[in-house]
Amino acid sequence: NSVQGQLVAVTSAAATTVTQAVTFPVAFASTPVAVVVTPVAASPNLFSTSLQNTTATGCEIRLYRSTGSGPVYVYVMSIGQGLEVGG
């Protein structure tokens, strides 16, 4: 049971959705109860992020960028079971 945070570089292109696999720094005993992703950018309204295929060892970030190209840094915060509110 833990809270983990990491910064992930996602290569992106304008008007395109890309998927980036992420491995958690330390595997959880089971799938985390919550994983939050947010782009770290001066203009975050240019991006849309979501998650898919979350497991105890990682997840996949989906990122859409409306304009521009290049790496986008995305902060990933994951919360293990037992640390959620009421857990």
Side-chain angles (χ1 to χ4, degrees):
N1 295 340
S2 65
V3 175
Q4 299 181 33
Q6 65 193 105
L7 197 59
V8 177
V10 179
T11 301
S12 65
T16 302
T17 299
V18 296
T19 302
Q20 172 75 41
V22 174
T23 301
F24 298 134
V26 177
F28 290 92
S30 59
T31 302
V33 294
V35 180
V36 178
V37 294
T38 186
V40 179
S43 299
N45 59 326
L46 300 176
F47 306 98
S48 175
T49 55
S50 63
L51 287 171
Q52 64 185 23
N53 301 325
T54 303
T55 67
T57 58
C59 61
E60 291 179 339
I61 297 172
R62 291 179 49 85
L63 180 135
Y64 174 83
R65 182 177 192 154
S66 58
T67 62
S69 63
V72 175
Y73 290 95
V74 177
Y75 185 73
V76 181
M77 182 178 142
S78 46
I79 302 172
Q81 292 189 9
L83 296 175
E84 71 277 13
V85 174

